[in-house]
Amino acid sequence: MNDLSNPNLVSWINVEKDSDFPIQNLPFGIFKTSQTAPHLASIIGEFVIDLALLSRLGYFEAFKIDQSIFANNSLNDFIGLGKPLTNAIRTRISELLREENPELRENSEHREKIFHKVSEVQMLLPVEIGDYTDFYSSIEHATNVGTMFRDPENALLPNWKHIPVGYHGRSSSIVVSGIDIHRPKGQTKADDAENPVFGPTKLLDFELEMAFIIGKQTEMGDTVSTDDAEKHIFGMVLFNDWSARDIQKWEYVPLGPFLAKNFASSCSPWVVTMEALEPFRIKGPEQKPEVLPYLQYQGEKNIDIHLEVLIQPEKSTSHTVCRSNFKYMYWNMNQQLAHHTVNGCNIRIGDLMASGTISGPSSDSYGSMLELSWKGTKAIPMADGTERRFILDMDTVIMRGYAQKDRLRIGFGEVKTKILPTR
């Protein structure tokens, strides 16, 4: 356990026991207020920390960093400083917040300007995402989908246990939590119909995922080994990879998802560093058959992160429809990145790579409505007495995640998105 994860650390700022953002977390994000332009921030409890102002006031003077990096509207340049420096800055923030340190605590003039209530700021997309890759790495999810649409005895395709399957997605339509999206439209074809029709999707679905953000670039021709992968991963976010199942069914052969996926994906605003997640590493599932040497790895590479999905109808309270865990992933992030680059594909700072739908072994841990309703054959009851098989207009989908071990809890906040009617 690194020093910043010590559960005995206490801040002079009051933090609730079940907060996602204790002093041991200190993730990074981008925020703005009605008076300020977008710039870098961290968070503790219910208070957003203005890192640009901390820099201007001299609290980061020892690092000799251009102050403009903290005034950017994305984390990319900050991440590009490299982990030794970004970790040192996170350590400095932790020191300023510790109960025994009067440096900032006793400076009321600075304190009043640096801290903002969460309710009074707007969070923005944390990174400028150049490229986005979506994997398909949950064996439970892949088995469920294969069982529904193919022979249950051969649910997994022959390549699935040999490579972390993935595809290149659309980065321009990734939005931050709180941004409403419109129901997409496209071609669909009923099983008993001779020809396709055009219109809004009837089978709109969420996909419970997590994503990691690249923090160190490579050149074309370079490869990243499983041993070195963590040097290239800055941190993680919650991710909802929206899917139009009826559009996807008609279009995905032979090249995979297209319009069914590229209309929107949603992510949480705070990038939780890999260092903050280090105490929650856990052994992953046994991989049989043995994978090729470039995909083999040492140590515990899965992470124990509790995940939850809620659906909130427009005029009702939210209802939990799924509880899962990131630890179920068959292919871990190190393997995903090693496979992604094994052909010499270059990666860039800010690139986002999503896990694919995270489903667990039990029916209440399935990470999509496709599975929870078993292709629409089972109704999921809501708190207001209505039912859902897929997502309806004006529904809000909320995803939450946190890791917990003994007295240490590190969370991600939430990614929350409302579905508006087709434009």
Side-chain angles (χ1 to χ4, degrees), residues 319-332:
H319 176 71
T320 298
V321 297
C322 159
R323 287 187 174 92
S324 192
N325 197 299
F326 188 56
K327 70 182 180 182
Y328 296 131
M329 300 306 292
Y330 187 88
W331 296 103
N332 61 55

Side-chain angles (χ1 to χ4, degrees), residues 287-299:
Q287 295 182 334
K288 287 186 176 181
E290 184 177 75
V291 299
L292 290 172
Y294 80 94
L295 289 170
Q296 294 173 9
Y297 64 94
Q298 301 294 321

